Amino acid sequence: MDMVLSGFAIFVIVLVLLAITIVFMGVTIVPQGYQYTVERFGRYTRSLQPGLGLILPFIDRIGDKINMMEQVLDIPTQEVISRDNAMVQVDGVLFFQVLDAAKSAYEVRDLERAIQNLAQTNLRTVLGAMDLDEALSQRDGINVRLLNVIDQATTPWGIKVTRVEIKDITPPIDLVEAMGQQMKAERLKRAVILEAEGVRQSEILKAEGEKKSAILEAEGRREAAFRDAEARERLAEAEAKATHDVSEAIAAGDIQSINYFIAQKYTEAMKEIGMARNSKVVLMPMEASALIGTLGGIGEIAREVFGKDGDGRPVRTSVPRSGE
């Protein structure tokens, strides 16, 4: 009896242990950022999301453990011949994310290797259609073209290519030296052109300055001539008015006005004689009474020529003589 109980106890213990083992086999914990594919008798049935997942032991099994986070893939360095037959070494980096775990697991074998080869071939295609100068100066355009082509090609694999970047484009050493010499020549050429432009601009500004100076000088001369003419005109008007006043004074018999006018002209004439450059000695009466006596004689002559008094008799004027 004891033997029977012992055998039954062992059976129960084994059965419990087997049940516990089966339960543990049916429980799967999926970490965050991953999805597990479930295969039933070798056929894909579903994908387990992050957290606790249950499967049927001995019927279902875990297929592939797919990383659903964005991943970085290096594009190895390779030699590419550009359109102008320049050999360059190019490498890059690619960012992608799995969107469909089943497609990435069952539509392609070795996903990362497939993406890497696809990126390399498209990189050769894009750079081979460009000149070296374009490849060096249009990296953004190359990145966009590669992104569109690779993303479209990998869509059936259930992934999304988010970014493609060219890291380095390295021409041969001799080509780099030639490019350096070309750049130096271009800079020297630019410097010579800028210097010539500076000289040309300086000459233009100088000519414009001389032109403006000549215009201002001509305007100054014109203004001076205008003012001189105006001064002469006013002087002539003054002379005419003075002559008119003297004529009226003579007609009216005003001997004092005649004497003043003649004395003024006499004094101005003597002043001009004294200011002449070739005059060394000037003889002139020094006594004012002699000058007035002379002017008085001239006045008497004028009176005899131009008029008489109201009685028809000649008008006599007493003129003080010298020494009186």
Side-chain angles (χ1 to χ4, degrees), residues 228-242 268:
D228 290 342
E230 185 178 3
R232 288 194 299 269
E233 182 180 355
R234 290 184 179 179
L235 181 59
E237 291 178 356
E239 290 286 344
K241 187 176 185 302
E268 290 178 358

Side-chain angles (χ1 to χ4, degrees), residues 30-322:
V30 181
Q32 183 67 37
Y34 283 82
Q35 288 186 11
Y36 291 174
T37 60
V38 178
E39 299 176 354
R40 178 170 296 174
F41 301 116
R43 182 180 179 181
Y44 168 79
T45 56
R46 58 194 175 94
S47 297
L48 295 179
Q49 303 297 324
L52 182 64
L54 299 177
I55 61 174
L56 295 178
F58 307 110
I59 297 176
D60 296 337
R61 72 179 188 89
I62 301 299
D64 291 327
K65 299 178 180 180
I66 307 299
N67 187 349
M68 304 299 291
M69 296 179 288
E70 188 171 3
Q71 304 176 59
V72 182
L73 183 64
D74 287 329
I75 303 175
T77 302
Q78 60 178 333
E79 292 185 346
V80 178
I81 301 176
S82 63
R83 187 171 59 185
D84 53 354
N85 297 324
M87 183 73 69
V88 295
Q89 292 183 345
V90 185
D91 60 353
V93 63
L94 183 145
F95 297 83
F96 72 96
Q97 184 177 12
V98 177
L99 301 179
D100 192 327
K103 289 183 178 181
S104 64
Y106 301 107
E107 294 294 336
V108 61
R109 184 185 180 120
D110 196 350
L111 177 64
E112 291 187 358
R113 183 167 176 267
I115 296 174
Q116 188 178 80
N117 288 329
L118 184 63
Q120 285 182 307
T121 55
N122 282 279
L123 182 59
R124 284 196 296 267
T125 301
V126 172
L127 287 181
M130 304 176 67
D131 294 333
L132 179 60
D133 293 338
E134 295 178 353
L136 294 175
S137 61
Q138 298 182 10
R139 290 197 179 191
D140 292 339
I142 297 174
N143 296 336
V144 172
R145 292 177 61 182
L146 287 174
L147 176 62
N148 293 333
V149 173
I150 298 174
D151 183 56
Q152 185 177 1
T154 56
T155 299
W157 300 345
I159 67 172
K160 173 66 177 178
V161 179
T162 58
R163 194 177 186 89
V164 179
E165 293 288 343
I166 300 296
K167 290 198 295 185
D168 291 318
I169 300 177
T170 308
I173 297 177
D174 56 346
L175 189 57
V176 173
E177 293 177 353
M179 292 172 62
Q181 294 175 0
Q182 180 182 2
M183 182 180 64
K184 182 179 179 180
E186 287 290 337
R187 292 185 180 274
L188 290 175
K189 175 183 176 183
R190 196 177 306 168
V192 172
I193 292 175
L194 290 176
E195 184 178 0
E197 287 289 337
V199 173
R200 174 174 172 269
Q201 189 68 19
S202 176
E203 293 295 333
I204 291 175
L205 293 176
K206 182 179 179 182
E208 289 180 353
E210 293 177 353
K211 176 183 176 182
K212 291 181 179 179
S213 177
I215 292 173
L216 292 176
E217 185 178 357
E219 290 180 352
R221 290 196 302 268
R222 185 182 67 176
E223 184 68 18
F226 176 77
R227 292 186 180 276
D228 290 342
E230 185 178 3
R232 288 194 299 269
E233 182 180 355
R234 290 184 179 179
L235 181 59
E237 291 178 356
E239 290 286 344
K241 187 176 185 302
T243 304
H244 178 71
D245 292 342
V246 170
S247 299
E248 289 183 351
I250 292 172
D254 189 356
I255 300 302
Q256 297 297 327
S257 298
I258 297 173
N259 291 339
Y260 174 77
F261 179 75
I262 295 174
Q264 182 183 10
K265 293 299 180 179
Y266 183 82
T267 305
E268 290 178 358
M270 295 305 295
K271 180 180 178 181
E272 291 180 0
I273 293 173
M275 294 179 62
R277 294 182 180 180
N278 56 358
S279 62
K280 302 300 182 181
V281 179
V282 179
L283 298 176
M284 58 179 294
M286 299 301 295
E287 297 181 359
S289 59
L291 176 59
I292 296 174
T294 304
L295 297 179
I298 299 173
E300 287 290 339
I301 297 173
R303 289 290 296 171
E304 293 178 358
V305 173
F306 290 104
K308 298 179 180 180
D309 58 2
D311 298 334
R313 294 175 297 174
V315 178
R316 297 182 182 273
T317 305
S318 62
V319 179
R321 299 188 180 274
S322 177

